[in-house]
Amino acid sequence: MKITVLDGGIINPGDLQWEPITGIAETDIYADTSPEQIAERTADADVVIVNRLALPAEAVAALGPNVKLVAVMATDAGPLCLPALDRRSILVCNVRAYSAEDVAQHTLALMLEMYRRIGLHSTSVHDGEWTRRGTWCYWLSTPRSLDKKVLGLVGFGSIGRRVGRLANAFGMEVLACCRTPRNPPSYSPFSFVPLDTLLQRADIVSLHCPFTPQTREIINARTLARMKEGACLINVSHGGLVCEEDCLEAMNSGRLGGVATDVLREEPPSDRDPFLCDPRVLITPHMAWSSRMSRQRLVALTAENIRRWMQGTPVNLLNKVKKSQ
């Protein structure tokens, strides 16, 4: 059997071990692959591993004749044409919940940065502001406390639950809105509430829901108008959940007190991206998931997906093919 990794460069820039995968079968590993290279690089592959490489219908057609499994080293399989893979009887699997703790911690880091402005003040000190002022203390924006604030979680899966637990440790009340409210956490104060109630009460709204036709631009002019005046928005889920233009208008009017995001609707962003063009928006480059521990776990879980497929008991399937042929 032959395994080909088409775009492993982001997952492993050199600080991980590929052995969980290379120990299964002969493996070719490429940092990145262009559409024109797909046919050659998968010509004798049985399993193809991709991270964020797009496989539209024409790329699926170019996959080698022996390919029976596409293993996605991610949770989101958005760049893959599943119907085209179905037609070729190629199974697709993904990896779930490999970085929930990382993303939850990044969410709290963004929250604290918006409320405490650590980066702003550190830069100010290094620029000599403290020395020039000649006083024992100063601040450029008044620090705020998370204690007794209300956090609204839109989505309450593995990541949302971890964010709620961390926020509770900071003294926050936690509200959650999700499709199927169940298994409430043991801490308090906590409540499952409808989206409208969450928007009206939350001091910080944090998005942890999947990107679907129903959640596309769930944050828009209409929902922003329902938010508590001065509330902040955090998005570590998917850029498509947010209408960036509407958020900037809400910030200009004072309705929205701030935006912090790890994701944008176009990645990488163009230099005309609305959020990128506004210095008030706190942006990190889709890195919430990327600790070494999480990336090594991603490699290991991908290897386990391949082993389960080889044993005839595939898991984490995303398409309609019932078994390899």
Side-chain angles (χ1 to χ4, degrees), residues 87-149:
R87 290 192 291 271
R88 285 199 54 181
S89 297
I90 297 174
L91 284 167
V92 182
C93 61
N94 70 344
V95 179
R96 303 167 189 177
Y98 65 92
S99 61
E101 291 292 354
D102 266 16
V103 178
Q105 290 175 28
H106 197 86
T107 303
L108 266 293
L110 292 174
M111 197 181 303
L112 286 166
E113 179 62 23
M114 283 199 296
Y115 265 53
R116 309 297 298 191
R117 303 302 302 273
I118 302 299
L120 171 71
H121 287 89
S122 178
T123 298
S124 167
V125 172
H126 282 286
D127 286 345
E129 181 73 10
W130 199 356
T131 302
R132 288 192 297 272
R133 285 181 178 246
T135 183
W136 69 274
C137 171
Y138 73 96
W139 51 87
L140 302 175
S141 64
T142 304
R144 292 180 287 173
S145 174
L146 294 177
D147 186 42
K148 302 298 188 295
K149 293 295 189 295

Side-chain angles (χ1 to χ4, degrees), residues 74-222:
T75 301
D76 180 12
L80 275 63
C81 181
L82 294 179
L85 290 157
D86 289 344
R87 290 192 291 271
R88 285 199 54 181
S89 297
I90 297 174
L91 284 167
V92 182
C93 61
N94 70 344
V95 179
R96 303 167 189 177
Y98 65 92
S99 61
E101 291 292 354
D102 266 16
V103 178
Q105 290 175 28
H106 197 86
T107 303
L108 266 293
L110 292 174
M111 197 181 303
L112 286 166
E113 179 62 23
M114 283 199 296
Y115 265 53
R116 309 297 298 191
R117 303 302 302 273
I118 302 299
L120 171 71
H121 287 89
S122 178
T123 298
S124 167
V125 172
H126 282 286
D127 286 345
E129 181 73 10
W130 199 356
T131 302
R132 288 192 297 272
R133 285 181 178 246
T135 183
W136 69 274
C137 171
Y138 73 96
W139 51 87
L140 302 175
S141 64
T142 304
R144 292 180 287 173
S145 174
L146 294 177
D147 186 42
K148 302 298 188 295
K149 293 295 189 295
V150 179
L151 172 64
L153 299 170
V154 182
F156 202 59
S158 59
I159 296 173
R161 285 180 178 273
R162 285 168 169 81
V163 172
R165 183 187 67 207
L166 294 174
N168 173 257
F170 278 88
M172 301 184 76
E173 178 182 355
V174 179
L175 308 178
C177 169
C178 59
R179 186 171 53 187
T180 309
R182 59 175 177 241
N183 301 325
S186 58
Y187 59 76
S188 65
F190 171 86
S191 304
F192 285 117
V193 295
L195 179 61
D196 274 357
T197 302
L198 183 149
L199 296 174
Q200 291 164 13
R201 291 197 55 209
D203 297 292
I204 300 173
V205 174
S206 190
L207 305 180
H208 303 282
C209 55
F211 179 62
T212 67
Q214 292 72 37
T215 60
R216 179 186 293 273
E217 294 193 351
I218 190 172
I219 300 300
N220 53 49
R222 180 178 56 83

Side-chain angles (χ1 to χ4, degrees), residues 52 76 79 235-240 244 261-270 273 283-287 289:
R52 300 294 297 176
D76 180 12
N235 185 11
V236 294
S237 185
H238 194 288
E244 296 180 0
T261 185
D262 186 54
V263 288
L264 295 173
R265 63 188 180 192
E266 179 186 354
E267 296 176 349
S270 73
D273 184 281
I283 306 173
T284 52
H286 204 144
M287 58 175 285
W289 60 280

